[in-house]
Amino acid sequence: MTGSISDITARRVWDSRGNPTVEVEIATAGGARGRAIAPAGASRGTREAIDLRDGGDKLSGMDVQHAVANVRELIAPALVGLDATDQTAADRAILALDDSALKDRLGGNATVAASLAVMHAGAAAKSVPLWRHCADLAGAEPSLPLPEIQIFGGGAHAGRRVDIQDFMVMVPGATSFDEVMEITSEVYRAAGSLMGQKGNLAGVADEGGWWPIFDHNEEALETLVRAIELAGETPGDRVVISLDVAASEFGSQGRYRLALEDRELGRDELIRLLGRWLDDYPIMSIEDPLAEDDRDGMQAFTREFGNRVQIIGDDYLVTNATLLEEAVADRACNAVLIKVNQAGTVTESLDCLRAAKSAGYGTIVSARSGETEDVSISHMAVGFGAAQLKVGSFTRSERMAKWNECLRIGDMLGAGSFVAGQPLATTTWAHKAKGAA
Ligand code: 2PG
Ligand code: MG
């Protein structure tokens, strides 16, 4: 069996924040090789697989020597001899070593790097591009996803300088992935020059979006609308706004503290505030509008706005098929972020993706705020037939590598592969309706 896993190497490498992380390299008997690196979140859901960190004083406790050792000593012996093209069997072998909900024995950073490396080796053993192998695993039709791209960072990615975490744009009106890149680049530049004019240019946040110097959260939205206009676009026409509120970072048990504005909101007040933003700005997607523990809030928000905007569960669903099914029964959210390291393995991520697709939920493959040169998620988004891809901003190579990889894949797929923007583009949102009135 040429796909038989013959050798596994694990090493410590470094991510975009300069933190240690886990890399795994796999070779098969037939000479195929696969390599992958674990990403790391900063705003993490409490129910996602943990990153196993060594603790102590060194490297602020962030070292991953135990996770690396777990790959070498526990995961590697379990994978040797398995067929790299059989992702389910490989992931099952990993899960047999650690079936804890949070993967706290092996570490989600160890399991995800190993699982992704198997996926790469499987594609190489089949001599097909990774996106093709991903499509086989998912049983999906490959397509180029619609990007959502950060213009301003915030929350846990920008020293909590503003409360809302991601101010992003999407270009559902573009006719090609390449056009999305070009328009987003113009918007990003325009936002930078507006910040410069106000004397507010202070570098970039964790994911490469502009560092947010604003007096209140809504000022970021106002500036974003002006940036879209300065880029020569009509806000809400081809270019729309997407927010990741990441509300678990500033609220729990139905209480929310907007530190920048020095005020505390109850669940209903936060819903009203976000509802007004949906009326006043061309926002077509909103992630984690309420906290991960606020089931009532998420249900109420979805009841009120779910028919006019995409509502994504990230911390709320943590790429977990069971939580997704509960949300479907609850009528909470209408889309899910797929982060492979929240689940811990490729197979568990696919379980969640399939559950989402069969419930008619939107699917957005996402990077983490701590990233590397690893471009696995570009291939997964394409191969899984996910509607969207979120990788952070439009600067810094750990982000651009993923957008650029999509361009290369798009060339292989050919014209007509960028279809994902159309369902969003046909949605009517309040801002546009108001403008037309
Ligand atoms: C998110 C991600 C990416 P993190 O919340 O969606 O923006 O952040 O990786 O820090 O969880
Ligand atoms: Mg999020």
Side-chain angles (χ1 to χ4, degrees), residues 41-43 157 165-166 207 244 287 314 339 368-369 390:
S43 67
H157 303 160
Q165 182 180 283
D166 291 315
E207 298 189 354
D244 182 0
E287 183 179 323
D314 170 18
K339 290 169 163 171
R368 301 308 303 249
S369 48
K390 174 186 180 189

Side-chain angles (χ1 to χ4, degrees), residues 283-298:
I283 298 168
M284 275 181 57
S285 180
I286 189 159
E287 183 179 323
D288 285 340
L290 285 302
E292 61 183 353
D293 66 357
D294 197 347
R295 182 176 171 212
D296 290 347
M298 201 63 99

Side-chain angles (χ1 to χ4, degrees), residues 318-336:
V318 293
T319 317
N320 179 304
T322 307
L323 293 178
L324 189 282
E325 273 151 15
E326 280 172 24
V328 173
D330 282 351
R331 297 174 184 272
C333 313
N334 56 26
V336 59

Side-chain angles (χ1 to χ4, degrees), residues 20 64 75 77 119 121 129 147 154 261 282 306 311 345 353 413:
V64 292
I75 295 177
M119 187 177 79
E261 299 164 24
I311 302 169
T345 60
L353 180 103
L413 287 172

Side-chain angles (χ1 to χ4, degrees), residues 43-48 246-254 256 288-296 298 313-318 323 342:
S43 67
R44 301 169 46 79
T46 54
R47 292 171 292 194
E48 65 177 89
S248 308
E249 291 292 308
F250 60 86
S252 70
Q253 305 195 328
Y256 296 90
D288 285 340
L290 285 302
E292 61 183 353
D293 66 357
D294 197 347
R295 182 176 171 212
D296 290 347
M298 201 63 99
D314 170 18
D315 296 340
Y316 193 72
L317 298 174
V318 293
L323 293 178
Q342 280 182 330

